[in-house]
C-alpha cells in the first residue's frame, strides 16, 4: 500500500480541511510514508477591461494559498513526531480542484479531503470537492469530518463493512492494516439484507430457510475474514452479522469508533460505478473519518 508517493491531502483553509491534514499526517506516520499537502488555486477567467483587477485578485489568491499551505504544514508537523517534518511537503497548483486531486490520486496511496469546504452551506452535506474526489479517484479516499477530536477516539475500534464485493475485499485489507497499526479492535459488519430488518414474532418462530441463511451468512463472514486474520494475528476481530440494510448499522457502529472503512460500491454495483449509495451515505453522515476503498480500475 506504500510503494508509490504516500498520502495526498487537499486543503482550502476550512476547519474540515485542517482536520483532514491532522488526520492524514498521523496516518502517514503510522504507515511511514510521505505526506503531500496540496492547495489548488482556481484560475480566474478574465474578460476585457478587467485585467488590472484580475491581477490584483490573482496576487491575493497566491498570497492566500501560501498562508494556507504554511498553516497546514505546521498542523501536519505538530500532529506527528519531530523527525517527520522532512516527510511533509507542500505544493500549490493552478488548475481545477477535483481534476487535480484525481490526477494526483493515480500516484498516491490515499487522498484525504475534508468533508466540506469553505463554501459549504449545510454542515450535514458533503462538499463538492470531497464528493467529486470520492467518486473519481484512482486510489482509496479518506473523507474527514471535524466533529469529533481524534484524541477522544484513539482507543476506539476500526469498523469495516463487508459484503463480498471486490471493493469490500480491499476495504477489509485497509481496515485490518489500520487496526493493526493503531493497536485497536476491528469490528467487521456484514449486513445481509437490503430490504431492512425482517420482523418475526417473539416466539422464536421463523421459516427454517431464514434461520439457515443467517447461519450461512455468519459462516461466510468467518470465511472472508480468515485469511486476513492469519495475516494480522494481532488484530482482535468482533463480527457483527445483521439482517438489515448496511447504512444505518454502519452509522450505529461508527458512533463508538475512530475510523470507518467501506467499499466504493457494493454487491449491487458494477465495475466502473462511480460511488455506491452506502459509501456515499456513510461518508456524508458519519462524524468520524471514512475511508472509501476505491480500486485502481475504478
Amino acid at each position: 500500500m506504500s510503494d508509490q508517493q504516500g498520502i495526498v491531502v487537499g486543503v482550502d483553509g476550512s476547519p474540515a480541511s485542517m482536520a483532514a491534514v491532522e488526520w492524514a499526517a498521523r496516518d502517514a506516520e503510522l504507515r511511514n510514508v510521505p505526506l503531500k499537502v496540496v492547495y489548488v488555486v482556481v484560475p480566474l477567467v478574465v474578460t476585457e477591461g478587467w485585467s488590472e483587477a484580475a491581477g490584483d485578485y490573482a496576487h491575493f489568491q497566491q498570497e492566500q494559498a501560501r498562508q494556507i499551505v504554511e498553516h497546514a504544514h505546521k498542523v501536519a508537523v505538530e500532529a506527528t513526531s519531530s523527525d517527520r517534518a522532512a516527510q511533509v511537503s507542500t505544493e500549490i497548483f493552478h488548475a481545477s480542484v477535483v481534476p487535480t486531486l484525481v490526477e494526483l490520486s493515480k500516484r498516491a496511496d490515499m487522498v484525504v479531503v475534508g468533508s466540506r469546504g469553505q463554501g459549504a452551506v449545510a454542515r450535514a452535506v458533503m462538499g463538492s470537492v470531497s464528493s467529486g474526489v470520492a467518486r473519481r479517484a484512482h486510489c482509496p479516499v479518506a473523507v474527514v469530518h471535524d466533529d469529533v477530536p481524534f484524541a477522544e477516539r484513539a482507543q476506539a475500534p476500526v469498523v469495516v463493512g463487508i459484503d463480498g464485493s471486490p471493493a469490500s475485499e480491499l476495504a477489509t485489507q485497509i481496515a485490518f492494516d489500520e487496526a493493526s497499526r493503531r493497536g485497536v479492535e476491528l469490528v467487521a459488519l456484514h449486513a445481509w439484507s437490503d430490504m431492512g430488518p425482517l420482523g418475526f414474532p417473539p416466539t422464536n418462530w421463523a421459516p427454517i430457510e431464514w434461520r439457515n441463511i443467517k447461519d450461512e451468512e455468519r459462516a461466510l463472514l468467518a470465511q472472508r475474514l480468515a485469511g486476513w486474520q492469519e495475516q494480522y494475528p494481532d488484530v482482535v476481530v468482533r463480527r457483527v452479522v445483521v439482517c438489515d440494510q448496511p447504512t444505518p448499522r454502519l452509522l450505529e457502529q461508527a458512533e463508538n469508533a475512530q475510523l470507518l472503512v467501506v467499499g466504493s460500491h457494493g454487491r449491487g454495483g458494477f465495475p466502473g460505478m462511480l460511488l455506491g449509495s452506502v459509501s456515499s451515505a456513510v461518508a456524508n453522515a458519519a462524524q468520524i473519518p471514512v475511508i472509501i476503498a476505491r480500486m485502481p480500475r475504478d
Side-chain angles (χ1 to χ4, degrees), residues 52-205:
E52 184 176 349
D56 292 339
Y57 185 72
H59 177 74
F60 164 76
Q61 283 185 306
Q62 190 66 23
E63 181 62 20
Q64 181 185 51
R66 183 189 63 80
Q67 292 178 5
I68 289 175
V69 296
E70 285 183 359
H71 177 57
H73 185 275
K74 181 180 179 181
V75 169
V77 171
E78 291 179 348
T80 56
S81 53
S82 58
D83 59 349
R84 284 285 302 174
Q87 294 293 311
V88 180
S89 63
T90 63
E91 188 165 0
I92 298 173
F93 293 86
H94 293 78
S96 298
V97 181
V98 172
T100 299
L101 292 175
V102 170
E103 181 63 27
L104 289 171
S105 75
K106 294 178 180 179
R107 303 179 300 280
D109 298 316
M110 182 164 63
V111 173
V112 183
V113 290
S115 58
R116 47 192 172 260
Q118 291 282 30
V121 176
R123 288 183 61 83
V125 179
M126 258 206 310
S128 59
V129 170
S130 54
S131 177
V133 174
R135 292 174 183 275
R136 297 170 54 189
H138 299 270
C139 69
V141 176
V143 179
V144 179
H145 299 250
D146 59 326
D147 300 279
V148 180
F150 306 131
E152 294 183 4
R153 302 282 183 99
Q155 301 305 313
V158 172
V159 176
V160 60
I162 298 177
D163 62 14
S165 64
S168 169
E169 187 71 5
L170 176 59
T172 305
Q173 175 192 358
I174 293 172
F176 266 95
D177 187 71
E178 295 283 353
S180 177
R181 295 180 188 277
R182 287 168 165 74
V184 298
E185 178 186 48
L186 175 64
V187 177
L189 173 72
H190 175 48
W192 54 277
S193 172
D194 293 327
M195 299 180 294
L198 299 177
F200 295 112
T203 57
N204 202 31
W205 178 92

Side-chain angles (χ1 to χ4, degrees), residues 240-272:
V240 179
V241 179
V242 293
C243 177
D244 197 358
Q245 296 176 348
T247 298
R249 293 307 186 98
L250 285 168
L251 292 175
E252 180 181 75
Q253 292 293 333
E255 292 178 359
N256 297 301
Q258 66 169 291
L259 174 65
L260 178 59
V261 188
V262 292
S264 56
H265 44 263
R267 54 179 173 257
F270 51 87

Side-chain angles (χ1 to χ4, degrees), residues 276-291:
S277 58
V278 173
S279 51
S280 179
V282 298
N284 181 58
Q287 294 184 317
I288 60 173
V290 177
I291 295 180

